[in-house]
Amino acid sequence: MGTDQLDNRHWHNIVVLTGAGISAESGLGTFRGAGGLWEQQRVEDVATPEAFARDPDLVYRFYNARREQLCGGDIQPNTAHYALAELETLFTGNFALVTQNVDDLHERAGSRHLFHMHGELMKMRCAASGNVFEAPVYFDGNDHCRCCRRAGQLRPHVVWFGEMPIYMDEIYALLADCDLFVAIGTSGNVYPAAGFVQIARQAGATTLEINPEMTDGSSLFGFQWRGPASEQVPRLRDLLAASG
Ligand code: BJW
């Protein structure tokens, strides 16, 4: 099968999965690779429940800095975020966007049918009740929770290693029904998202990877478009909008 020319056919149910690469051109670092977040900070120190129990202040600082950057004004949605939001509006079939990203750039660009499977940076959760609240840019263990009124209960509403991602029932149902699955800007290193392409293939879907680099999972995709999301996602929007 050719890896570049996606058929110009009529799709009914599209699922798009995005990763950190789609926000790279907005100025947010990816996780892996040269200059990635995990090069500056060991993942075991900030993105596991054990790390939070061991050194909550370090974890609060890490996420406060990420929120500060996201809200600082320099970080805005890029062409790829806007192209996906436009695609959602233009496409006449069912369109769902699943993101591993905790930033809010898809929402800011106008995406609506969106599942944040790894949580949201701008939300916090009460560890006691599970209630989720909008987060201020800065919070830590001294802040009192709005529901239980106690300090030390609030944590970032993000999914750490070893925790169950969010919306999995909805996402698996979408994958089981999709006829086109597109993964954009993700290394395919982290499960369960890395396994979505196989579920989509089992459902008979056409699969497309958009990434400037080959990934460990590239060979699982029927089609591969190499290049930055800002170039390739508008191309996808134009193709799918024309197909109905
Ligand atoms: C561009 C670009 C441009 C650059 N344009 N592209 C052994 C085997 C299998 C699984 C496991 C295992 N041991 C443990 C596990 C499970 C574990 C896991 O997967 N570990 C792996 C390391 C092996 N997973 C979990 O623990 C998950 N939970 C779980 O499995 O629960 C059990 C379960 C069972 C059954 C069903 C369901 C669940 C939880 C994972 C939580 C991940 N959390 C993080 C942090 C979130 C909070 C935060 O942001 O701080 O999520 S880790 C981090 O990685 C973040 C990301 O969402 C995630 C994925 O990263 P992503 O997006 O792919 O980024 P990168 O940096 O890796 O790649 C960027 C890509 O962009 C690159 O390819 C570039 O080329 C590309 N790019 N410029 C387009 N301009």
Side-chain angles (χ1 to χ4, degrees):
M1 189 187 286
T3 56
D4 196 57
Q5 278 305 316
L6 194 63
D7 327 344
N8 189 13
R9 64 179 245 213
H10 185 79
W11 310 98
H12 297 94
N13 299 312
I14 300 177
V15 177
V16 173
L17 171 71
T18 60
I22 197 166
S23 296
E25 290 167 86
S26 292
L28 292 178
T30 61
F31 291 92
R32 295 163 188 85
L37 269 178
W38 297 155
E39 215 172 56
Q40 300 153 38
Q41 188 76 62
R42 281 172 11 117
V43 61
E44 303 83 8
D45 290 340
V46 288
T48 64
E50 294 77 18
F52 188 53
R54 194 170 51 238
D55 191 350
D57 287 342
L58 175 69
V59 176
Y60 284 125
R61 279 201 304 276
F62 175 71
Y63 285 99
N64 284 346
R66 303 239 327 254
R67 263 182 251 106
E68 186 180 68
Q69 183 191 25
L70 185 61
C71 298
D74 290 342
I75 304 294
Q76 300 296 336
N78 65 54
T79 312
H81 295 103
Y82 285 114
L84 284 179
E86 285 155 15
L87 176 57
E88 180 175 347
T89 307
L90 293 168
F91 183 64
T92 53
N94 299 311
F95 177 91
L97 179 55
V98 177
T99 187
Q100 298 169 86
N101 298 344
V102 297
D103 67 56
D104 59 357
L105 298 182
H106 283 305
E107 291 91 322
R108 288 200 225 165
S111 286
R112 293 286 167 262
H113 194 197
L114 172 63
F115 298 90
H116 274 281
M117 64 176 289
H118 289 166
E120 295 173 66
L121 196 51
M122 297 313 299
K123 293 194 174 161
M124 59 189 182
R125 188 165 81 233
C126 171
S129 69
N131 287 337
V132 175
F133 307 99
E134 296 296 320
V137 173
Y138 306 103
F139 73 90
D140 62 26
N142 296 313
D143 289 293
H144 286 74
C145 169
R146 273 178 238 160
C147 57
C148 67
R149 311 274 167 212
R150 290 176 10 222
Q153 296 298 315
L154 291 168
R155 58 159 281 180
H157 182 50
V158 298
V159 178
W160 289 320
F161 284 107
E163 296 184 322
M164 184 64 84
I166 310 169
Y167 304 118
M168 290 313 299
D169 289 348
E170 291 91 335
I171 294 167
Y172 284 138
L174 287 162
L175 290 169
D177 255 358
C178 74
D179 51 10
L180 177 62
F181 172 77
V182 186
I184 303 169
T186 176
S187 61
N189 275 298
V190 176
Y191 286 86
F196 289 174
V197 58
Q198 277 149 313
I199 299 171
R201 278 165 58 124
Q202 279 157 19
T206 295
T207 53
L208 166 67
E209 176 180 65
I210 293 180
N211 199 307
E213 310 287 338
M214 292 276 286
T215 67
D216 289 348
S218 287
S219 62
L220 296 169
F221 289 83
F223 295 87
Q224 295 160 30
W225 289 359
R226 296 273 157 251
S230 62
E231 274 175 18
Q232 300 297 329
V233 182
R235 177 182 167 200
L236 180 74
R237 174 204 56 208
D238 295 345
L239 181 82
L240 298 182
S243 83

